């Protein structure tokens, strides 16, 4: 089984006269999808995953923007892989050097019946997706899952519920977006699915601000939610956008806590230093 989370794309090639594309994500050259798919794999040594992005033209035929592929043989079984892939016009033509944007994926390949598979905590009457198994049990289970294909009459869906604690530590080398060459930056934190928001205080006159502020979010569905961190420059007459970071919760759910330095997307420079911590409260529902 191959689990695919289509997270986002960035810098997509503009195909429209009006100046924006509609890559099945509402008129955006940097769309966020955060959608989850499952594929049954017959032969990981020869098969590959292909992602093709199109510009939705409404009543007209959708226009092709670009594509990318992942060889399944390059995936380590049982390990979540986070990748940014460059889009190309044709997978067979290597001479195409034009930059068409990138697509962001999380991938997890779980062979049926592999020796070091993931323990299914339920009876054979229930099944879980491979990623749900990893999140529930970690990657050190010993039971195989070869009966997984036979389970069709009932499925239990695991809901990864918990509290996400986000510490916005600091930023480095923020881009200058003000004519005066200064910045009064702050960070807006948003949980995409629940639309919960918080924001840091404003740090005056700094391109290397330090906040050290912590915010807690109750997350009802960690597997399908994501955290968006947007950096803004506060102005007397408004605000200027400086860049953003987008994170799924997969890593923090697997590791429990981690610290990272993230480059700002959509900015010429800038990094954001954060610490994430996950406090699980798992619940189950039948479906």
């Amino acid at each position: 089984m191959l689990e695919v989370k289509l997270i986002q794309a960035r810098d997509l090639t503009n195909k429209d006269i009006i100046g924006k594309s509609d890559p099945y994500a509402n008129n955006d050259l940097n769309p966020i999808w955060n959608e989850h798919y499952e594929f049954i794999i017959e032969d990981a040594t020869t098969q590959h995953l292909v992602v093709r992005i199109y510009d939705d033209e409404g009543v007209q035929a959708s226009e092709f923007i670009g594509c990318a592929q992942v060889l399944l043989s390059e995936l380590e079984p049982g390990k979540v892989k986070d990748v940014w892939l460059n889009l190309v016009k044709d997978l067979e033509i290597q001479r195409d050097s034009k930059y068409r944007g990138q697509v962001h994926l999380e991938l997890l390949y779980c062979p049926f019946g592999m020796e070091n598979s993931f323990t299914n905590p339920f009876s054979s009457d229930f099944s879980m997706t491979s990623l749900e198994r990893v999140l529930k049990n970690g990657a050190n289970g010993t039971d195989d899952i070869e009966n997984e294909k036979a389970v069709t009459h009932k499925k239990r869906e695991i809901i990864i519920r918990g509290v996400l604690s986000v510490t916005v530590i600091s930023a480095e080398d923020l881009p200058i977006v003000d004519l005066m060459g200064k910045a009064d930056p702050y960070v807006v934190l948003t949980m995409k699915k629940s639309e919960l928001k918080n924001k840091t205080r404003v740090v005056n006159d700094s391109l290397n601000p330090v906040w050290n502020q912590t915010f807690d979010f109750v997350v009802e569905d960690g597997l399908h939610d994501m955290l968006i961190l947007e950096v803004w420059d506060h102005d007397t007459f408004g605000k200027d956008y400086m860049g953003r970071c987008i994170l799924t919760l997969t890593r923090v759910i697997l590791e429990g806590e981690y610290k990272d330095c993230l480059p700002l997307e959509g900015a010429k420079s800038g990094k954001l230093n954060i610490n994430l911590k996950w406090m699980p409260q798992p619940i189950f529902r039948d479906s």
Side-chain angles (χ1 to χ4, degrees), residues 55-230:
D55 182 5
D56 185 11
E57 296 290 348
V59 295
Q60 303 177 29
S62 297
E63 188 168 357
F64 179 71
I65 294 178
C67 59
Q69 73 172 354
V70 177
L71 302 178
L72 301 192
S73 59
E74 297 177 350
L75 301 180
E76 183 180 350
K79 300 294 183 182
V80 176
K81 184 170 184 177
D82 185 296
V83 292
W84 279 97
L85 303 173
N86 287 331
L87 297 174
V88 297
K89 183 177 181 180
D90 191 321
L91 295 172
E92 304 301 323
I93 300 176
Q94 303 299 321
R95 297 190 302 272
D96 180 22
S97 59
K98 179 181 177 181
Y99 182 66
R100 302 173 185 276
Q102 296 180 307
V103 63
H104 188 192
L105 305 174
E106 266 183 11
L107 304 166
L108 174 64
Y109 172 52
C110 296
F112 290 119
M114 75 185 218
E115 291 182 3
N116 296 316
S117 186
F118 312 111
T119 304
N120 188 336
F122 304 128
S123 69
S124 60
D125 290 339
F126 301 99
S127 68
M128 301 168 67
T129 70
S130 306
L131 183 54
E132 288 169 344
R133 250 192 316 280
V134 172
L135 297 180
K136 179 68 173 67
N137 300 295
N140 298 313
T142 56
D143 294 346
D144 67 44
I145 54 171
E146 56 191 7
N147 294 327
E148 198 74 18
K149 290 182 179 179
V151 180
T152 58
H153 61 280
K154 193 171 185 181
K155 179 178 179 178
R156 171 169 287 189
E157 180 182 356
I158 184 170
I159 305 300
I160 308 295
R161 185 177 187 272
V163 176
L164 177 66
S165 182
V166 184
T167 300
V168 182
I169 303 170
S170 62
E172 306 169 20
D173 193 26
L174 291 178
I176 298 173
V177 295
D178 195 299
L179 293 175
M180 302 297 292
K182 299 180 179 180
D184 303 315
Y186 66 98
V187 180
V188 176
L189 304 85
T190 306
M191 299 304 303
K192 180 168 172 49
K193 189 170 183 180
S194 64
E195 298 183 345
L196 295 172
K197 290 180 180 285
N198 251 313
K199 66 178 180 180
T200 68
R201 66 180 177 273
V202 174
V203 175
N204 293 320
D205 195 15
S206 177
L207 297 176
N208 298 280
V210 176
W211 292 285
N212 277 324
Q213 288 184 263
T214 300
F215 306 91
D216 291 337
F217 295 93
V218 175
V219 179
E220 297 295 338
D221 188 1
L223 185 60
H224 301 107
D225 213 340
M226 62 198 318
L227 173 67
I228 302 174
L229 301 148
E230 295 178 309

Side-chain angles (χ1 to χ4, degrees), residues 262-274:
L262 306 170
L264 287 183
E265 297 176 17
K268 293 181 179 179
S269 65
K271 296 179 180 180
L272 195 60
N273 296 300
I274 62 167

Side-chain angles (χ1 to χ4, degrees), residues 2-39:
L2 177 67
E3 303 272 350
V4 179
K5 182 174 282 189
L6 174 63
I7 302 171
Q8 61 176 319
R10 65 186 177 198
D11 306 329
L12 295 183
T13 305
N14 176 27
K15 295 288 185 178
D16 266 334
I17 297 176
I18 62 172
K20 290 187 177 180
S21 289
D22 221 0
Y24 298 161
N26 299 324
N27 208 25
D28 195 350
L29 297 176
N30 299 282
I32 302 173
W33 293 288
N34 197 34
E35 297 192 15
H36 189 191
Y37 306 94
E38 269 191 351
F39 300 92

